[in-house]
Amino acid sequence: SQQGEEDPQALSIQEGENATMNCSYKTSINNLQWYRQNSGRGLVHLILIRSNEREKHSGRLRVTLDTSKKSSSLLITASRAADTASYFCATDATGNTGKLIFGQGTTLQVKP
Amino acid sequence: DGGITQSPKYLFRKEGQNVTLSCEQNLNHDAMYWYRQDPGQGLRLIYYSQIVNDFQKGDIAEGYSVSREKKESFPLTVTSAQKNPTAFYLCASSITGGFGANVLTFGAGSRLTVL
């Protein structure tokens, strides 16, 4: 069962622009995480936001969480060509055993 | 360097054959996971293990089997019962598989193609 749905599925921007990706989920969560995947590679953890947090920053990344709307957004500011990758949200559902459920992902292309 | 090693990176299999994908970690993590990824899709959980000698089915366990005899190792066998095994397989681990912030560390993946 896929917990998260991401929007848009694909995004193409110019270098220097900001990129925003959204994630919606269905059940109560302990935390929500964002991961990045370069083509043909494993995923890399970017940032985690807990259910009692509303916003978190890490470098050029800004994540928001709205538990009332069951949604999160990932903002990448001043994007670079090296940010080209797929980005996935993953939810750790309340009452779950700790396993993460991943969304379908957003493919980001940053043009130089 | 600490990390997760998956092997082989590429694997070809004839229909009807079982294959085993290796996953080894030296991070001293308790929990390990296997995910399947199809082109343009998200990750779907196959099996996970929170402790040695124990594992649970994920969302798509049919046609797969695992073992967890050692903390460091969590091999996945794709059996002939798996109807559509061609996919990218990702192994991951986390410090704890229980309640809490289980951040996953992933291996580089194994791409299985059935001929």
Side-chain angles (χ1 to χ4, degrees):
Chain A
S1 60
Q2 291 291 348
Q3 164 81 305
E5 293 186 3
E6 296 181 59
D7 168 59
Q9 288 190 327
L11 181 60
S12 181
I13 60 175
Q14 295 294 136
E15 236 178 356
E17 294 180 339
N18 295 342
T20 299
M21 289 159 262
N22 303 297
C23 170
S24 61
Y25 57 92
K26 298 174 182 174
T27 64
S28 297
I29 59 172
N30 293 316
N31 64 73
L32 184 145
Q33 302 177 37
W34 285 90
Y35 287 80
R36 166 192 168 129
Q37 183 182 34
N38 286 72
S39 182
R41 306 294 298 273
L43 280 71
V44 175
H45 178 258
L46 295 176
I47 194 166
L48 177 150
I49 187 164
R50 297 183 186 275
S51 59
N52 61 352
E53 297 176 311
R54 292 297 168 258
E55 187 172 314
K56 204 160 182 180
H57 297 255
S58 176
R60 293 184 295 114
L61 304 180
R62 172 178 169 252
V63 170
T64 61
L65 179 64
D66 187 334
T67 53
S68 66
K69 295 181 179 179
K70 290 186 169 60
S71 67
S72 174
S73 67
L74 171 67
L75 168 67
I76 304 174
T77 61
S79 63
R80 306 165 181 168
D83 294 329
T84 294
S86 292
Y87 293 82
F88 295 88
C89 68
T91 50
D92 181 2
T94 302
N96 210 300
T97 55
K99 62 182 182 179
L100 293 185
I101 305 298
F102 284 81
Q104 303 288 337
T106 293
T107 299
L108 173 65
Q109 181 186 30
V110 181
K111 299 176 183 177
Chain B
D1 288 335
I4 298 182
T5 301
Q6 289 188 240
S7 63
K9 188 169 178 63
Y10 299 96
L11 184 61
F12 297 89
R13 187 193 96 173
K14 293 181 180 179
E15 283 194 25
Q17 288 181 335
N18 293 354
V19 293
T20 297
L21 307 181
S22 171
C23 179
E24 303 278 333
Q25 55 101 356
N26 60 4
L27 299 166
N28 200 32
H29 284 175
D30 290 318
M32 296 187 74
Y33 310 80
W34 275 104
Y35 286 90
R36 169 182 171 141
Q37 186 177 32
D38 292 285
Q41 301 291 315
L43 279 65
R44 292 184 289 169
L45 183 63
I46 304 173
Y47 269 98
Y48 65 104
S49 168
Q50 295 175 292
I51 197 169
V52 175
N53 292 323
D54 187 43
F55 49 83
Q56 288 81 40
K57 293 181 179 180
D59 299 318
I60 56 165
E62 185 175 351
Y64 300 96
S65 66
V66 293
S67 62
R68 186 86 188 277
E69 297 176 1
K70 299 187 299 181
K71 187 175 185 177
E72 304 79 18
S73 179
F74 191 41
L76 173 73
T77 296
V78 184
T79 74
S80 57
Q82 169 50 233
K83 299 303 180 188
N84 184 22
T86 294
F88 190 51
Y89 291 88
L90 288 158
C91 181
S93 69
S94 65
I95 292 176
T96 174
F99 296 102
N102 55 325
V103 173
L104 299 188
T105 300
F106 281 85
S110 292
R111 188 168 299 280
L112 172 63
T113 302
V114 175
L115 304 174

